[in-house]
Amino acid sequence: MIVIEKTAYEEIFRTCEFKRADGQGWLNDLETIVSAEVIIIERSTGSDVSATMASDVAPYNSTQVRYKLKVGTFGKTYYIRVRGLSSNGQKFEEVFELRII
C-alpha cells in the first residue's frame, strides 16, 4: 500500500491514474473515466471524514481522478479510497494510507 504523508495545514491536489481492469495496460484513447469518488476513513475510529478532507473530486485527463486533499489531525492515519467509473463500465479503486505529520 502506498503511504502519503502531509501536514494538517497543507491542502494539495493529487491525481490517481487507473489501469484497465484486465491488467493489460492503461485505459485506451477510446475509454475514459466518467465519474469519480474519494472516500476518506479515519483508521482508528472507522469514521467517514470525506466531507472535511476531500474536495474538487473529478475525472481528469481521461484516465485519472483528481482531488484536493485537505486538513487532517496531527498524528492520525486515514485510508483514502479513490474510485473511478470508465466509459466502458469498468470500476476502479485504489487505496492509499495517509499519515498526518
Side-chain angles (χ1 to χ4, degrees):
M1 180 180 302
I2 295 174
V3 176
I4 302 165
E5 292 183 334
K6 77 170 207 66
T7 68
Y9 173 78
E10 293 174 314
E11 293 190 359
I12 53 175
F13 280 103
R14 294 194 49 87
T15 59
C16 180
E17 179 83 40
F18 288 103
K19 292 184 178 183
R20 294 190 341 210
D22 63 8
Q24 296 302 309
W26 301 107
L27 296 169
N28 62 48
D29 291 337
L30 302 175
E31 186 175 21
T32 62
I33 298 295
V34 295
S35 68
E37 177 181 31
V38 172
I39 301 165
I40 302 178
I41 304 295
E42 184 181 329
R43 185 176 72 179
S44 63
T45 65
S47 299
D48 185 337
V49 294
S50 306
T52 57
M53 290 189 66
S55 68
D56 303 309
V57 179
Y60 183 72
N61 286 344
S62 299
T63 61
Q64 299 176 343
V65 170
R66 183 177 185 229
Y67 60 99
K68 184 183 247 184
L69 188 55
K70 307 183 306 181
V71 297
T73 302
F74 176 78
K76 296 261 184 186
T77 300
Y78 303 86
Y79 293 116
I80 303 171
R81 294 187 178 280
V82 180
R83 295 178 174 168
L85 176 66
S86 83
S87 56
N88 288 341
Q90 295 189 88
K91 294 179 179 180
F92 301 96
E93 180 177 77
E94 289 283 344
V95 180
F96 305 95
E97 184 174 279
L98 170 65
R99 296 177 188 160
I100 305 301
I101 56 172

